[in-house]
Amino acid sequence: MPKRYLSIWFRHLATDRMVRLHPELRDKPFLLYAPEHGRMVVRASSRALDREGIAPGMVVADVRAILPSVEVFPDDPVTTDKLLKDLAEWFLRYTPVPAIDPPDGLMLDITGCTHLWGGELSYLKSIVIRLRKGGYDVKAAIADTIGAAWAIARFGKNGTIVEPGRQAEALRSLPPSALRLETTILQRLEKLGFRQIGQLSRIPRTNLRRRFGDVLLTRLGQALGTEPELLNPVQPPPLYQEWLPALEPIRTAKGIEIALQRLLDTLCERFFNEGKGMRTGTFKGYRVDGKVEQISIGTNRASRNAVHLFKLFELKIPEIEPALGIELFVLEATLVEEVSETQEALWSMGNSDHAAIAELLDNIAGKVGMKSIHRYLPLEHHWPEASIKEVSSLVEEPETTWRTDRPRPLHLLPHPEPIEVMVALPDYPPLHFRYKGNLIKVAKADGPERIEQEWWLQTGPPRDYYYVEDENGARYWLFRLGTYGNGEPRWFLHGFFA
């Protein structure tokens, strides 16, 4: 059976990820930046910014001069790479051979798969529609070779399906950059007047090799199908699941506990051999009447301690209704993480409280829910709402230290909320302010503390923060946005002190 490949190009992968997280950015011009040689350089631009001619590689300061209203955010290539890998694994439902095509594409070997969707056209439409509904701006193409599919997805008409054996004709009018060549080779081709791939096919191979080396011939051959090219497909994540059928239906809590303990012992032994641990798990009981009973747990760190995991499940066993009896038990670790031997030794040391803290948090979460427990780490940003991040792991290390030289509220609002104030003189703290309809009189105050954004992020006036206390002893963190010498400033409430 001849090979068929589908190339998918995510035109704005990094910024589409941001829009999925923050829907309010959907129609706004924004960019992602990263430092490079002492300057802040654009790494990715949104769809709206793309229409303004802003492209990766430009300096952020130049972009601000062109479009002062642009919003800027730091680039996070690690998260974007993980997203691309997750997307590749998601495509296992469409083909057993999906591969990552960095930095912003996927390549699928769809040989023998498309008939399940009624043909290549229906297959392609199904994928593109699903991705666009998910918020991704994509272009896609199908061809006999990896090189041809890649080229047409990026330089051809969106949704093109090249008929088998017709890739040379489809590539003829495309530019040489569609061959995935290095910049230096493309520059030499440009100087010599090569504007289309079809021009190269009329040049003897020996002449091309002498001027441009073997790379050009290899890429051209891979696109046309005369040179082999292999995919490095993603592997489906291993299934951490154990089954235990019952000789007779189990109806008692004690019987359920015994089944759970046996499954945990088996699964934790596998974890130990593979250097992994459970973060989330589900215990299911299949009843004789066809219904399924299940309970789930989560941990603050990957654990392979069968005793600890059993205690977490044990809290929820009363939720299981065996009815006429359970004939099959299944334990599945739905989230598994690596557990290094060094980390395990540190957490298990007799003079360390880390393991006890983690297990205590797991026990609390089992009673009040995982969503009730949060851990925050500091980030190197000036504005308070951008200076922290929430993490799910107890072992993740902070990038910087917490600021302790100035008071900070215990409860920081995710977004500052506007308030109405009465101020005696400019640069003075408020005499009173109104928040959610309540008039709050200020008894004590301290400030101002000026906090500005980083210069490459500056989008507006600075903030002047005040620490105020009302007549009942409650303390608030307020700030004034702007100064009285430049229009009418606005006031906001940003946090509450303990």
Side-chain angles (χ1 to χ4, degrees), residues 261-303:
Q261 187 66 66
R262 289 183 180 179
L263 290 171
L264 279 171
D265 290 342
T266 304
L267 191 58
C268 288
E269 182 179 356
R270 181 182 172 189
F271 284 149
F272 184 82
N273 294 333
E274 298 183 15
K276 300 182 182 296
M278 178 190 296
R279 282 296 307 275
T280 61
T282 301
F283 177 57
K284 297 180 180 179
Y286 291 80
R287 299 187 340 193
V288 295
D289 60 3
K291 295 184 178 180
V292 180
E293 295 288 323
Q294 72 175 47
I295 53 177
S296 300
I297 64 162
T299 64
N300 284 280
R301 70 178 185 103
S303 175

Side-chain angles (χ1 to χ4, degrees), residues 413-431:
L413 296 175
H415 303 287
E417 298 185 5
I419 57 175
E420 299 175 3
V421 303
M422 171 63 73
V423 181
L425 293 171
D427 291 331
Y428 271 48
L431 299 175

Side-chain angles (χ1 to χ4, degrees), residues 85-103:
K85 182 176 184 298
D86 291 342
L87 286 168
E89 292 179 356
W90 181 82
F91 270 100
L92 286 166
R93 69 194 65 198
Y94 283 97
T95 172
V97 193
I100 297 172
D101 186 13

Side-chain angles (χ1 to χ4, degrees), residues 318-339:
E319 300 177 12
I320 297 177
E321 294 288 345
L324 298 177
I326 297 175
E327 57 184 353
L328 174 66
F329 295 94
V330 178
L331 176 64
E332 181 180 5
T334 51
L335 178 59
V336 175
E337 292 182 355
E338 298 283 343
V339 179

Side-chain angles (χ1 to χ4, degrees), residues 90 93-94 125-135:
W90 181 82
R93 69 194 65 198
Y94 283 97
K125 283 183 176 180
S126 172
I127 289 175
V128 171
I129 290 172
R130 290 287 296 272
L131 289 174
R132 286 179 176 170
K133 284 184 177 179

Side-chain angles (χ1 to χ4, degrees), residues 384 403-410 428-430 433 442-451 463-470 474-480 491-497:
R403 182 171 183 178
T404 58
D405 59 324
R406 302 290 294 178
R408 291 293 181 262
L410 181 64
Y428 271 48
F433 63 93
V442 175
K444 300 178 182 179
D446 187 20
E449 175 193 355
R450 174 154 293 186
I451 300 180
R463 297 175 178 179
D464 289 321
Y465 279 82
Y466 294 85
Y467 319 94
V468 303
E469 181 178 320
D470 66 14
R475 295 186 296 158
Y476 309 85
W477 206 31
L478 315 179
F479 73 84
R480 182 185 65 232
W491 285 81
F492 295 85
L493 172 65
H494 205 175
F496 304 89
F497 290 89

